[in-house]
Amino acid sequence: MEELTCCEGTVHSIIFQNAESGYTVLRLLTEEGEVITVVGCVPCVAPGEHLTVSGVWETHPQHGEQLRATELERSLPEDEEEIFSYLSSGVCKGVGPATARRIVDRFGGATLDILEREPEQLSLIKGITAKKAQEIAQSFRHHMGLRRLMEFLARYQLPPILAMQLRQQYGEAALDMVRENPYLLSTDSCGVEFSVTDEIAMSMGIALDSQERLQAAVTFELSHNENNGHVFLPQHKLVAATCQLLDCGPDLVEQALDELVRRGAVVRERVSGEEACYLRRLWEAEASACARLNGLLAVDADRSGQAAKTIDEIQREQGISYAPQQRQAVELAARTGVLILTGGPGTGKTTTVRGIVALFRKMGLDIVLAAPTGRAAKRMSELTGMEAQTVHRLLGMSWNEVTHQVTFTKSEREPLEADAVIVDEMSMVDLTLFSALLRALRPGTRLVLVGDADQLPSVGAGNVFSDLIRSGRIETVFLREVFRQASESAIIRNAHAVNSGEPPRLTNDQGDFFFMCRRDGERTVSTVVELCKTRLPEKMGVPADQIQVLTPTRKGPSGTINLNRCLQEALNPRRPDRREIQWGDRLFREGDRIMQTRNDYEVVWEKADGTVGTGMFNGDVGKIVQIDDSREWLVMDFDGRSAVYGAEMLNEVDLAYAQTVHKAQGSEYRCVVLAAMPAAQSLMVRGVLYTALTRARELLIVVGDDAAIRAMAANDRQQRRYSGLRWRLAHSGDEPSER
């Protein structure tokens, strides 16, 4: 645990300040007369202010010792010279040193009160007109409004950067709105835990049975469970969970729910025997997806008159002969509007997709290929010889600053210029993204959805791929035959065994699959580190940057947190020529492998060919190329996309030497080392093990507890996700919803 140091003093000067993030480097004149460097998020700070800073000392290679602020209290300057320094620093638009001197000489220690409460008195000073006095006052009030918002949040240990987000969303009225309804802090755009917001509200005297509190709790439960994959919650579960959250009776919660339904914030509808409660945007996404799929399915896409002849021609050109199920899939693609192609590793999905692409080309169709992640899109391009994009990029994703929601350029108003769209790794696509894709398709566009239905479901809400297959409404081809060449791989054989409920064969004579029994967490970690650092690079010729460590969990000795710390120390140790930056309890260093852990739609990236785009997404993996001398920004490279990150953005990245299996979905690696030790019961399931095994392309090494591995293979328990898409496809319009 790092020891905190407390320093008190007056801001002497500002070395650097990022106006958007609030990240600041300043000189503080302490009460002992020493000038120290302070770094951290201190928005709108100016010389002359009094600060009390708690933080941790760290040594910067170029700038020496500096105090990294973790907590701070601030107060406005009081004596005349400090007020002069404060005003002349530029905190007020239109006030430079000369004007600041005239104002302070006239009003002395009362200057700041005059600026805020009686700005008309400024016009008594020669050279300041009534109009300019109002402009100065407006600028000062804007500055003070943000300060007071930060001070309000600081009382509850909330970070200053939250004030910037609130100001962007609610403008000058942000503080008044939060005081009136502190539960705004628990909305999606702010993300403060409900328990924290509730504590703030209680301290402000908001009643336990207030509608603001009750309605905020209901919507919080729906949002929280969206993050657990649920599109809706049954009313009885929603009411019970909210009652537990608030420690209150169901009558009050049901009244709040009724009001939310009346206002349209929540949609209530009878779905598959449940009284389903949706956040409106998720209901709209599900209803829209169903309606648009029905539209695509209703279009007569039958052009199969020449399909058999065309497929024979494609086989001759490609020098192959399709297996019966593969040929069935290509023929169905010719005569159906929507097709699902699914199968495990080695069953010929790629060959089949190539056949469908060749068929569509011969039919004169404009084809678009897409996948949910950059890595999956890149692999799709390599396997088909055609450009593939992420679904986000294909749809022209952007971030709306007003609504604080994702928007897409492509929609029914500006649809994709495509006759056929093929999407790979569909198990990763959540409801919101799938709905957006369907809205961007012109009527009659062919849609082919490809994936492995036995992999883990999407991180986001919904179970789209499985729902579509199980609905029975969409033509689905299951590729089950493992081809001879693929069957020679022990990775593929073991993956199919696990998918059938059998444990993998845990021996070391299988060519591309090895098992190293370790029943102790620390021994597992040391073995994984040794494999990545020396044994695999030196004995198997696999460079460390082509090895991906996977584990079911973040926690414990063999979780990603500890593994990343150990692997960073082994693979990218501290050196004088590698800059590093501490962020919370994590250390980042030039050369580190990192992963984006949340969607950020505003990151601007550029490729070497000059292509510019925006957006980094949860699961994108990259590398820290450069850390600035001031530690204020970093250059990241994500598979050829270069982006500059402010230091404050480190809260949305993590080290990626080790990843959870969930995060590795959609990616394939030359070599995978799987740390398989006991973890939380919900993670010790067949789907996690199967997904982990199928990430390895050439070499898989499992290190861990054989009993835990066998238990995972035997455990087919799947956490239910509440989703109405499957039901809705079969029962469109049967039940009216309360909207």
Short mmCIF file of all heavy atoms in Angstrom, two decimals, residues 141-170:
data_model
loop_
_atom_site.label_atom_id
_atom_site.label_comp_id
_atom_site.label_asym_id
_atom_site.label_seq_id
_atom_site.Cartn_x
_atom_site.Cartn_y
_atom_site.Cartn_z
N ARG A 141 -18.51 33.72 -13.60
CA ARG A 141 -19.57 32.85 -13.07
C ARG A 141 -19.50 31.45 -13.68
O ARG A 141 -19.76 30.45 -13.01
CB ARG A 141 -20.93 33.48 -13.35
CG ARG A 141 -21.26 34.64 -12.41
CD ARG A 141 -22.50 35.37 -12.87
NE ARG A 141 -22.82 36.48 -11.97
CZ ARG A 141 -23.57 37.52 -12.32
NH1 ARG A 141 -24.08 37.58 -13.55
NH2 ARG A 141 -23.81 38.49 -11.45
N HIS A 142 -19.16 31.40 -14.98
CA HIS A 142 -18.99 30.10 -15.63
C HIS A 142 -17.88 29.31 -14.93
O HIS A 142 -18.03 28.12 -14.62
CB HIS A 142 -18.65 30.30 -17.12
CG HIS A 142 -18.35 29.01 -17.84
ND1 HIS A 142 -19.34 28.22 -18.37
CD2 HIS A 142 -17.18 28.39 -18.10
CE1 HIS A 142 -18.79 27.15 -18.93
NE2 HIS A 142 -17.48 27.24 -18.79
N HIS A 143 -16.78 29.98 -14.69
CA HIS A 143 -15.65 29.36 -14.02
C HIS A 143 -16.04 28.91 -12.61
O HIS A 143 -15.75 27.78 -12.19
CB HIS A 143 -14.49 30.37 -13.96
CG HIS A 143 -13.32 29.92 -13.15
ND1 HIS A 143 -12.40 29.02 -13.61
CD2 HIS A 143 -12.93 30.25 -11.89
CE1 HIS A 143 -11.48 28.82 -12.68
NE2 HIS A 143 -11.78 29.56 -11.62
N MET A 144 -16.73 29.78 -11.88
CA MET A 144 -17.11 29.46 -10.51
C MET A 144 -18.16 28.35 -10.47
O MET A 144 -18.19 27.54 -9.53
CB MET A 144 -17.65 30.71 -9.81
CG MET A 144 -16.58 31.75 -9.51
SD MET A 144 -15.24 31.08 -8.49
CE MET A 144 -16.13 30.68 -6.99
N GLY A 145 -19.02 28.31 -11.49
CA GLY A 145 -20.02 27.25 -11.53
C GLY A 145 -19.37 25.88 -11.61
O GLY A 145 -19.79 24.94 -10.92
N LEU A 146 -18.35 25.77 -12.45
CA LEU A 146 -17.64 24.50 -12.57
C LEU A 146 -16.89 24.18 -11.28
O LEU A 146 -16.88 23.04 -10.81
CB LEU A 146 -16.67 24.55 -13.76
CG LEU A 146 -15.94 23.25 -14.08
CD1 LEU A 146 -16.92 22.11 -14.33
CD2 LEU A 146 -15.03 23.43 -15.29
N ARG A 147 -16.28 25.19 -10.68
CA ARG A 147 -15.58 24.99 -9.40
C ARG A 147 -16.54 24.48 -8.34
O ARG A 147 -16.24 23.54 -7.61
CB ARG A 147 -14.98 26.32 -8.92
CG ARG A 147 -13.62 26.65 -9.46
CD ARG A 147 -13.09 27.87 -8.73
NE ARG A 147 -12.95 27.58 -7.31
CZ ARG A 147 -11.79 27.38 -6.71
NH1 ARG A 147 -10.69 27.44 -7.40
NH2 ARG A 147 -11.75 27.12 -5.42
N ARG A 148 -17.70 25.10 -8.24
CA ARG A 148 -18.64 24.70 -7.19
C ARG A 148 -19.19 23.30 -7.44
O ARG A 148 -19.46 22.56 -6.50
CB ARG A 148 -19.79 25.72 -7.11
CG ARG A 148 -19.33 27.05 -6.54
CD ARG A 148 -20.49 27.89 -6.02
NE ARG A 148 -19.96 29.06 -5.36
CZ ARG A 148 -19.85 30.26 -5.91
NH1 ARG A 148 -20.26 30.44 -7.16
NH2 ARG A 148 -19.33 31.28 -5.24
N LEU A 149 -19.35 22.96 -8.72
CA LEU A 149 -19.78 21.60 -9.04
C LEU A 149 -18.72 20.59 -8.59
O LEU A 149 -19.04 19.55 -7.99
CB LEU A 149 -20.04 21.48 -10.55
CG LEU A 149 -20.50 20.12 -11.08
CD1 LEU A 149 -21.77 19.66 -10.38
CD2 LEU A 149 -20.71 20.19 -12.59
N MET A 150 -17.46 20.91 -8.86
CA MET A 150 -16.38 20.03 -8.43
C MET A 150 -16.30 19.94 -6.91
O MET A 150 -16.07 18.87 -6.34
CB MET A 150 -15.04 20.51 -9.00
CG MET A 150 -14.92 20.27 -10.49
SD MET A 150 -13.28 20.67 -11.12
CE MET A 150 -13.28 22.44 -10.96
N GLU A 151 -16.49 21.08 -6.24
CA GLU A 151 -16.45 21.08 -4.78
C GLU A 151 -17.59 20.25 -4.20
O GLU A 151 -17.41 19.51 -3.22
CB GLU A 151 -16.52 22.52 -4.26
CG GLU A 151 -15.23 23.31 -4.51
CD GLU A 151 -15.42 24.80 -4.32
OE1 GLU A 151 -16.55 25.22 -3.95
OE2 GLU A 151 -14.46 25.55 -4.56
N PHE A 152 -18.77 20.35 -4.82
CA PHE A 152 -19.90 19.55 -4.39
C PHE A 152 -19.58 18.06 -4.52
O PHE A 152 -19.82 17.27 -3.60
CB PHE A 152 -21.13 19.91 -5.22
CG PHE A 152 -22.33 19.03 -4.99
CD1 PHE A 152 -23.20 19.29 -3.94
CD2 PHE A 152 -22.59 17.95 -5.81
CE1 PHE A 152 -24.30 18.48 -3.71
CE2 PHE A 152 -23.68 17.13 -5.60
CZ PHE A 152 -24.54 17.40 -4.54
N LEU A 153 -19.04 17.67 -5.66
CA LEU A 153 -18.71 16.26 -5.88
C LEU A 153 -17.60 15.79 -4.95
O LEU A 153 -17.61 14.65 -4.48
CB LEU A 153 -18.29 16.04 -7.35
CG LEU A 153 -19.37 16.33 -8.40
CD1 LEU A 153 -18.78 16.22 -9.80
CD2 LEU A 153 -20.55 15.37 -8.25
N ALA A 154 -16.62 16.68 -4.69
CA ALA A 154 -15.50 16.32 -3.83
C ALA A 154 -15.95 15.96 -2.42
O ALA A 154 -15.32 15.14 -1.75
CB ALA A 154 -14.48 17.45 -3.80
N ARG A 155 -17.04 16.58 -1.96
CA ARG A 155 -17.55 16.26 -0.62
C ARG A 155 -17.91 14.78 -0.51
O ARG A 155 -17.92 14.21 0.57
CB ARG A 155 -18.80 17.09 -0.33
CG ARG A 155 -18.52 18.51 0.09
CD ARG A 155 -19.83 19.21 0.42
NE ARG A 155 -19.97 20.43 -0.36
CZ ARG A 155 -21.11 20.96 -0.74
NH1 ARG A 155 -22.24 20.36 -0.43
NH2 ARG A 155 -21.15 22.07 -1.43
N TYR A 156 -18.21 14.16 -1.64
CA TYR A 156 -18.61 12.75 -1.64
C TYR A 156 -17.56 11.87 -2.31
O TYR A 156 -17.85 10.76 -2.77
CB TYR A 156 -19.96 12.61 -2.35
CG TYR A 156 -21.02 13.51 -1.75
CD1 TYR A 156 -21.37 14.71 -2.36
CD2 TYR A 156 -21.64 13.18 -0.55
CE1 TYR A 156 -22.33 15.55 -1.81
CE2 TYR A 156 -22.60 14.02 0.01
CZ TYR A 156 -22.93 15.20 -0.61
OH TYR A 156 -23.87 16.03 -0.05
N GLN A 157 -16.32 12.38 -2.36
CA GLN A 157 -15.17 11.64 -2.92
C GLN A 157 -15.40 11.22 -4.38
O GLN A 157 -14.94 10.17 -4.82
CB GLN A 157 -14.84 10.40 -2.07
CG GLN A 157 -14.19 10.70 -0.74
CD GLN A 157 -15.19 11.19 0.30
OE1 GLN A 157 -16.21 10.55 0.53
NE2 GLN A 157 -14.91 12.33 0.91
N LEU A 158 -16.13 12.05 -5.13
CA LEU A 158 -16.32 11.79 -6.55
C LEU A 158 -15.28 12.57 -7.34
O LEU A 158 -14.94 13.70 -6.98
CB LEU A 158 -17.73 12.18 -6.99
CG LEU A 158 -18.85 11.32 -6.38
CD1 LEU A 158 -20.22 11.86 -6.76
CD2 LEU A 158 -18.72 9.87 -6.81
N PRO A 159 -14.75 12.00 -8.43
CA PRO A 159 -13.62 12.61 -9.14
C PRO A 159 -13.99 13.90 -9.86
O PRO A 159 -15.12 14.05 -10.36
CB PRO A 159 -13.21 11.53 -10.14
CG PRO A 159 -14.44 10.73 -10.36
CD PRO A 159 -15.17 10.73 -9.04
N PRO A 160 -13.04 14.85 -9.96
CA PRO A 160 -13.31 16.11 -10.66
C PRO A 160 -13.74 15.94 -12.11
O PRO A 160 -14.52 16.73 -12.63
CB PRO A 160 -11.96 16.85 -10.58
CG PRO A 160 -11.26 16.25 -9.41
CD PRO A 160 -11.69 14.82 -9.37
N ILE A 161 -13.24 14.87 -12.76
CA ILE A 161 -13.57 14.70 -14.18
C ILE A 161 -15.07 14.49 -14.37
O ILE A 161 -15.63 14.80 -15.43
CB ILE A 161 -12.77 13.52 -14.78
CG1 ILE A 161 -12.79 13.60 -16.32
CG2 ILE A 161 -13.28 12.18 -14.28
CD1 ILE A 161 -11.79 12.70 -16.97
N LEU A 162 -15.76 14.00 -13.33
CA LEU A 162 -17.21 13.84 -13.42
C LEU A 162 -17.90 15.19 -13.59
O LEU A 162 -18.92 15.30 -14.27
CB LEU A 162 -17.73 13.13 -12.16
CG LEU A 162 -19.23 12.84 -12.09
CD1 LEU A 162 -19.70 12.03 -13.29
CD2 LEU A 162 -19.56 12.11 -10.78
N ALA A 163 -17.31 16.22 -12.99
CA ALA A 163 -17.87 17.57 -13.16
C ALA A 163 -17.82 18.00 -14.62
O ALA A 163 -18.76 18.64 -15.13
CB ALA A 163 -17.11 18.57 -12.28
N MET A 164 -16.73 17.65 -15.29
CA MET A 164 -16.61 17.99 -16.71
C MET A 164 -17.71 17.29 -17.52
O MET A 164 -18.32 17.89 -18.41
CB MET A 164 -15.23 17.58 -17.24
CG MET A 164 -14.07 17.90 -16.32
SD MET A 164 -13.67 19.65 -16.24
CE MET A 164 -12.77 19.86 -17.76
N GLN A 165 -17.97 16.01 -17.20
CA GLN A 165 -18.99 15.26 -17.93
C GLN A 165 -20.38 15.85 -17.68
O GLN A 165 -21.18 16.00 -18.61
CB GLN A 165 -18.96 13.79 -17.49
CG GLN A 165 -17.66 13.08 -17.85
CD GLN A 165 -17.52 11.74 -17.15
OE1 GLN A 165 -18.35 11.35 -16.33
NE2 GLN A 165 -16.46 11.02 -17.45
N LEU A 166 -20.66 16.20 -16.43
CA LEU A 166 -21.96 16.79 -16.10
C LEU A 166 -22.14 18.13 -16.78
O LEU A 166 -23.23 18.46 -17.27
CB LEU A 166 -22.08 16.95 -14.58
CG LEU A 166 -22.29 15.67 -13.77
CD1 LEU A 166 -22.02 15.91 -12.30
CD2 LEU A 166 -23.70 15.13 -13.97
N ARG A 167 -21.08 18.92 -16.82
CA ARG A 167 -21.16 20.24 -17.45
C ARG A 167 -21.43 20.10 -18.95
O ARG A 167 -22.20 20.87 -19.52
CB ARG A 167 -19.85 21.00 -17.19
CG ARG A 167 -19.93 22.49 -17.51
CD ARG A 167 -20.99 23.18 -16.64
NE ARG A 167 -20.93 24.61 -16.77
CZ ARG A 167 -20.23 25.40 -15.98
NH1 ARG A 167 -19.53 24.88 -14.96
NH2 ARG A 167 -20.23 26.70 -16.15
N GLN A 168 -20.78 19.10 -19.58
CA GLN A 168 -21.01 18.87 -21.01
C GLN A 168 -22.47 18.49 -21.26
O GLN A 168 -23.08 18.92 -22.24
CB GLN A 168 -20.10 17.74 -21.51
CG GLN A 168 -18.66 18.16 -21.72
CD GLN A 168 -17.81 17.00 -22.23
OE1 GLN A 168 -18.25 15.86 -22.27
NE2 GLN A 168 -16.59 17.29 -22.60
N GLN A 169 -23.05 17.69 -20.35
CA GLN A 169 -24.39 17.18 -20.58
C GLN A 169 -25.48 18.18 -20.21
O GLN A 169 -26.47 18.33 -20.92
CB GLN A 169 -24.59 15.88 -19.80
CG GLN A 169 -25.90 15.18 -20.11
CD GLN A 169 -25.93 13.78 -19.57
OE1 GLN A 169 -25.01 13.33 -18.90
NE2 GLN A 169 -26.99 13.05 -19.87
N TYR A 170 -25.30 18.88 -19.07
CA TYR A 170 -26.38 19.72 -18.55
C TYR A 170 -26.07 21.21 -18.59
O TYR A 170 -26.92 22.03 -18.21
CB TYR A 170 -26.71 19.31 -17.11
CG TYR A 170 -27.16 17.87 -16.99
CD1 TYR A 170 -26.40 16.94 -16.30
CD2 TYR A 170 -28.35 17.45 -17.57
CE1 TYR A 170 -26.82 15.62 -16.18
CE2 TYR A 170 -28.77 16.12 -17.47
CZ TYR A 170 -28.00 15.22 -16.77
OH TYR A 170 -28.41 13.92 -16.66
#
